[in-house]
Amino acid sequence: MPLLFTPLAEQDLESIAKYIAADNVPRALSFVRELRQQCQRIALNPAGYRMRPELGEGIRSCAHGHYVIFFEALADAVTVVRILHGARDLPELFQADDDAPR
């Protein structure tokens, strides 16, 4: 199934890389690569991951290390919506995303 990333998910990956790179550039690169590989695995069986109705209709999640990949699985593609640290206020962030002008 095709895999897509929202602009916010791409920004999340950039932010994660910058944060890790402040201490360890090679690890930043390898960790972002791992996150992208995990997203590819999600696309193979998206229905196998946890539903997150408290964050939005159709949202599912998959943990990878301390980060959580949030995605939507439609009939024609899997879309990665956000990639966030698990300690963040996730409901607040998803609410802010819903309130943002499009």
Side-chain angles (χ1 to χ4, degrees):
M1 184 172 293
L3 177 66
L4 308 170
F5 289 82
T6 65
L8 274 175
E10 291 288 356
Q11 289 174 2
D12 293 337
L13 285 170
E14 288 180 29
S15 296
I16 292 164
K18 286 179 185 176
Y19 179 78
I20 296 171
D23 292 325
N24 187 336
V25 172
R27 181 60 184 141
L29 296 172
S30 67
F31 189 70
V32 168
R33 187 170 37 254
E34 288 173 22
L35 285 169
R36 288 188 180 276
Q37 289 170 343
Q38 183 61 43
C39 291
Q40 291 291 336
R41 285 190 289 276
I42 288 168
L44 296 175
N45 183 26
Y49 295 90
R50 178 179 170 207
M51 292 292 297
R52 299 298 297 265
E54 74 279 12
L55 300 177
E57 187 176 332
I59 300 290
R60 293 179 179 269
S61 70
C62 172
H64 184 81
H66 295 290
Y67 289 84
V68 183
I69 300 165
F70 297 95
F71 64 95
E72 295 175 317
L74 302 176
D76 58 343
V78 171
T79 302
V80 177
V81 178
R82 298 294 309 259
I83 303 173
L84 301 167
H85 194 281
R88 302 212 32 208
D89 185 348
L90 301 174
E92 177 69 26
L93 287 168
F94 274 79
Q95 181 63 40
D97 290 349
D98 287 344
D99 294 340
R102 298 185 190 256

